[in-house]
């Protein structure tokens, strides 16, 4: 039976106060953040956990501080479920107020979130040299999650004066963290009742030509033709007028032509990936119809939307920046490229025919980047990654896969259902990356994953209902057996 609102508030304060024994004195800042109107996050109160640096060494016992967050407002004490929301390849600044907040209310769940090793404030070293990055991998991260999950459960039992009993756990993630969510259930099925793998890129891909092909399909004939003509014009002008062209896009700092062309390709991708296709296609198609310079029209979109509203930094594409080993707010770029260049690739190369992006964004460009940024001998062992996890043939159970119809990343996900692993495609004009949890558009944040701005809200609601039904079944099975897994 759920506690009354008043009792729940007192109990929350009690839990927060008690949590100080594990990580030093805890203020009430978490409540202040929540009550001050910062609606983008359920909480931004930082907590800390001592994590093992190398889980695969029997003699290296070094540790580092790993940041995490907890949100207990909806927690049905003492045996409610615990939702482990995975952070991915960027700084984790809190628990985002997306659709997981609705699920937490429905299931009476606590929500905890652990920052990925090396990213944000969870860095083991004072510099990110290639040598120091040797402990940055999905395999190490999965063990981080397993160790943290065990520690958190034991800490909760101590606070609630429980013995041996475990709460049912469920894991969530989007994109790379969606893959981690699926892989966590695969590798540690005894630690979770199930996983939601939203836009989960479980298949490592060397030459990811399907990525660009999906952009063409998502754009539609008119917009696709305008994008392709823009790319042709840029390719023609770049050799003789490169400096002026790059300046037009506000990207004069990108001295390597491949970096510049990759930047231009990504600018188009983001419109479809995150549910804002009309921001790109409407002005570009209109410019083509009236005979305006397409390069100028695209540059306006890039500067005003991609760099302006969306907030991407041109520096992100500069290999000089990627070579910087200092630990800074921009470190995520170098860190993710290291994972790309060692584990998963996802090289977004131009297809041989009918490409949207420049043909100069090819395999050689990516391999040269890996070598230039990280040194000799760094390349992605895609086959090893897929052998270890199974790719789209993942032999797991109780994993929900979801993808948006317009999202190019869905071609690295599991798009067909198999026994105990349902897969759903959310189909609509602006259904992109993580639509099931983020709503529309997928960026900027739609509070509580609001789906009303999706071109087909019903498509989102239908998949969400299927997610709830699967979660309800699997969590019930856990509770029936008194275990945190099935």
């Amino acid at each position: 039976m759920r506690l009354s609102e008043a009792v729940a508030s007192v109990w929350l304060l009690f839990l927060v106060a008690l949590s100080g024994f594990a990580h030093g004195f805890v203020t009430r800042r978490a409540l202040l953040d929540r009550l001050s109107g910062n609606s983008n996050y359920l909480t931004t109160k930082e907590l800390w956990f001592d994590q093992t640096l190398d889980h695969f060494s029997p003699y290296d016992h070094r540790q580092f501080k790993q940041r995490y967050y907890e949100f207990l407002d909806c927690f049905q004490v003492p045996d409610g479920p615990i939702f482990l929301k995975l952070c991915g390849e960027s700084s984790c600044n809190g628990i985002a107020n997306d659709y997981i907040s609705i699920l937490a209310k429905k299931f009476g769940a606590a929500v905890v979130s652990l920052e990925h090793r090396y990213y944000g404030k969870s860095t083991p070293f004072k510099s990110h040299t290639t040598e120091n990055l040797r402990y940055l991998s999905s395999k190490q991260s999965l063990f981080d999650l397993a160790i943290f999950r065990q520690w958190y459960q034991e800490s909760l039992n101590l606070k609630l004066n429980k013995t041996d009993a475990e709460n049912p756990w469920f894991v969530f993630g989007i994109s790379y963290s969606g893959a981690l969510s699926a892989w966590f259930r695969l590798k540690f099925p005894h630690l979770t009742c199930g996983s939601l793998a939203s836009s989960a890129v479980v298949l490592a891909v060397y030459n990811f030509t399907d990525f660009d092909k999906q952009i063409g399909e998502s754009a539609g004939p008119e917009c696709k033709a305008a994008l392709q003509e823009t790319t042709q014009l840029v390719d023609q002008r770049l050799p003789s007028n490169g400096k002026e062209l790059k300046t037009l896009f506000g990207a004069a700092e990108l001295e390597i032509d491949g970096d510049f062309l990759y930047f231009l390709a990504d600018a188009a991708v983001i419109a479809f990936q995150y549910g804002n296709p009309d921001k790109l296609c409407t002005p570009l198609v209109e410019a083509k119809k009236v005979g305006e310079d397409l390069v100028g029209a695209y540059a306006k979109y890039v500067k005003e939307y991609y760099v302006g509203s969306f907030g991407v930094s041109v520096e992100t594409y500069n290999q000089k920046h990627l070579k910087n080993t200092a630990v800074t707010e921009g470190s995520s770029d170098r860190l993710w490229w290291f994972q790309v260049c060692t584990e998963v690739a996802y090289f977004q190369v131009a297809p041989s025919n009918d490409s949207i992006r420049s043909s100069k964004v090819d395999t050689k460009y990516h391999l040269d980047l890996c070598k230039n940024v990280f040194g000799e001998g760094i390349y992605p062992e895609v086959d090893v990654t897929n052998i270890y996890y199974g790719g789209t043939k993942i032999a797991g159970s109780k994993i929900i896969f979801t993808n948006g119809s317009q999202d190019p990343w869905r071609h690295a996900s599991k798009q067909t259902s198999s026994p105990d692993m349902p897969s759903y495609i959310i189909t609509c004009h602006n259904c992109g990356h993580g639509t099931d949890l983020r709503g529309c558009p997928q960026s900027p944040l739609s509070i509580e994953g609001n789906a009303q701005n999706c071109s087909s809200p019903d498509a989102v609601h239908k998949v969400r209902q299927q997610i709830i039904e699967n979660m309800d079944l699997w969590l019930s099975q856990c509770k029936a057996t008194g275990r945190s897994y099935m």
Side-chain angles (χ1 to χ4, degrees):
M1 190 174 187
R2 197 177 299 267
L3 295 174
S4 70
E5 184 176 346
V7 175
S9 298
V10 173
W11 185 255
L12 174 61
L13 290 171
F14 175 67
L15 286 179
V16 170
L18 280 182
S19 65
F21 82 90
H23 36 256
F25 180 70
V26 177
T27 69
R28 297 183 182 181
R29 182 59 184 272
L31 291 178
L32 291 176
D33 285 342
R34 182 172 58 82
L35 297 174
S36 66
N38 184 7
S39 58
N40 284 352
Y41 291 97
L42 297 177
T43 180
T44 57
K45 176 62 184 177
E46 297 175 347
L47 303 171
W48 298 93
F49 170 66
D50 291 327
Q51 185 62 267
T52 299
L53 177 62
D54 186 2
H55 297 287
F56 300 99
S57 171
Y59 53 82
D60 186 349
H61 302 297
R62 287 177 293 172
Q63 292 185 321
F64 67 97
K65 295 288 184 182
Q66 195 164 19
R67 181 167 59 164
Y68 77 96
Y69 304 88
E70 63 179 5
F71 180 73
L72 304 172
D73 283 30
C74 304
F75 186 40
Q76 186 172 336
V77 179
D79 56 358
I82 300 175
F83 291 170
L84 179 56
K85 188 176 186 182
L86 308 189
C87 292
E89 67 281 21
S90 62
S91 178
C92 187
N93 300 317
I95 300 177
N97 185 11
D98 57 19
Y99 189 65
I100 201 170
S101 63
I102 302 296
L103 294 174
K105 292 173 188 174
K106 178 173 181 57
F107 288 99
V111 185
V112 293
S113 188
L114 182 70
E115 185 168 58
H116 195 294
R117 58 168 51 209
Y118 283 84
Y119 292 92
K121 295 183 179 180
S122 299
T123 179
F125 298 101
K126 294 181 179 179
S127 69
H128 287 153
T129 63
T130 301
E131 175 67 15
N132 283 346
L133 297 182
R134 65 189 181 277
Y135 306 107
L136 173 57
S137 70
S138 59
K139 300 178 185 68
Q140 294 278 9
S141 178
L142 289 174
F143 266 91
D144 286 348
L145 294 166
I147 298 300
F148 170 78
R149 176 253 186 255
Q150 289 296 84
W151 170 83
Y152 191 88
Q153 180 66 70
E154 291 170 4
S155 300
L156 187 64
N157 285 354
L158 188 62
K159 294 171 192 175
L160 300 179
N161 197 27
K162 296 198 301 183
T163 58
D164 295 335
E166 292 213 334
N167 297 74
W169 285 69
F170 209 94
V171 184
F172 299 79
I174 303 173
S175 193
Y176 165 60
S177 66
L180 289 176
S181 178
W183 294 338
F184 186 81
R185 171 65 190 175
L186 173 71
K187 297 299 183 181
F188 300 100
H190 57 293
L191 297 183
T192 179
C193 302
S195 291
L196 174 61
S198 175
S199 298
V201 286
V202 292
L203 178 67
V205 187
Y206 192 68
N207 287 324
F208 197 4
T209 53
D210 283 343
F211 190 93
D212 192 83
K213 291 177 182 177
Q214 180 61 55
I215 296 303
E217 292 177 18
S218 298
E222 283 189 309
C223 188
K224 177 182 177 181
L227 284 167
Q228 289 177 322
E229 186 175 336
T230 303
T231 298
Q232 291 167 5
L233 291 170
V234 168
D235 279 345
Q236 289 169 10
R237 298 178 191 179
L238 189 58
S240 60
N241 203 14
K243 188 173 182 180
E244 183 179 336
L245 184 63
K246 291 175 182 178
T247 301
L248 176 65
F249 282 88
E253 70 179 81
L254 301 181
E255 296 176 3
I256 299 173
D257 288 351
D259 293 349
F260 174 65
L261 295 170
Y262 199 107
F263 165 65
L264 296 192
D266 258 8
V269 166
I270 233 69
F272 305 104
Q273 182 173 326
Y274 289 115
N276 293 291
D278 297 337
K279 298 280 188 182
L280 167 65
C281 290
T282 300
L284 207 60
V285 169
E286 183 62 26
K288 183 173 170 59
K289 284 180 179 178
V290 300
E292 290 181 7
D293 177 37
L294 283 176
V295 175
Y298 191 55
K300 186 174 187 291
Y301 158 80
V302 170
K303 288 187 291 186
E304 292 184 1
Y305 178 72
Y306 189 49
V307 176
S309 301
F310 194 79
V312 164
S313 170
V314 176
E315 183 184 52
T316 299
Y317 296 86
N318 193 334
Q319 289 186 40
K320 288 182 179 180
H321 163 67
L322 297 178
K323 293 176 76 170
N324 183 4
T325 61
V327 177
T328 67
E329 289 185 5
S331 295
S332 294
D333 304 323
R334 176 174 172 82
L335 298 175
W336 177 241
W337 269 108
F338 182 78
Q339 292 192 259
V340 165
C341 291
T342 55
E343 282 193 284
V344 292
Y346 305 134
F347 289 167
Q348 294 158 35
V349 301
S352 56
N353 297 304
D354 206 27
S355 174
I356 302 293
R357 65 188 57 216
S358 171
S359 60
K360 296 179 179 64
V361 183
D362 55 11
T363 307
K364 184 179 185 301
Y365 164 75
H366 289 86
L367 291 176
D368 285 349
L369 183 152
C370 292
K371 179 180 177 180
N372 181 39
V373 173
F374 301 108
E376 294 280 355
I378 299 295
Y379 58 89
E381 296 192 278
V382 168
D383 290 342
V384 172
T385 300
N386 288 332
I387 287 171
Y388 187 73
Y389 295 121
T392 54
K393 297 179 181 177
I394 181 173
S397 65
K398 293 182 169 57
I399 305 170
I400 305 165
F401 288 92
T402 59
N403 286 282
S405 60
Q406 307 306 95
D407 183 14
W409 288 105
R410 70 184 178 95
H411 298 284
S413 187
K414 187 179 184 329
Q415 298 188 81
T416 56
S417 296
S418 55
D420 233 7
M421 287 190 292
S423 180
Y424 307 111
I425 304 291
I426 307 174
T427 303
C428 77
H429 175 65
N430 57 344
C431 287
H433 212 51
T435 298
D436 55 326
L437 290 177
R438 292 171 171 164
C440 295
Q442 293 79 60
S443 182
L445 178 72
S446 299
I447 301 300
E448 295 185 338
N450 192 325
Q452 292 310 304
N453 289 325
C454 298
S455 65
S456 176
D458 286 346
V460 183
H461 295 324
K462 181 179 179 180
V463 169
R464 285 177 172 175
Q465 185 57 40
Q466 290 168 318
I467 289 171
I468 288 171
E469 289 174 5
N470 282 294
M471 287 181 62
D472 196 26
L473 173 62
W474 299 342
L475 287 169
S476 296
Q477 290 174 340
C478 278
K479 289 180 179 179
T481 60
R483 294 182 293 182
S484 61
Y485 65 94
M486 279 299 296

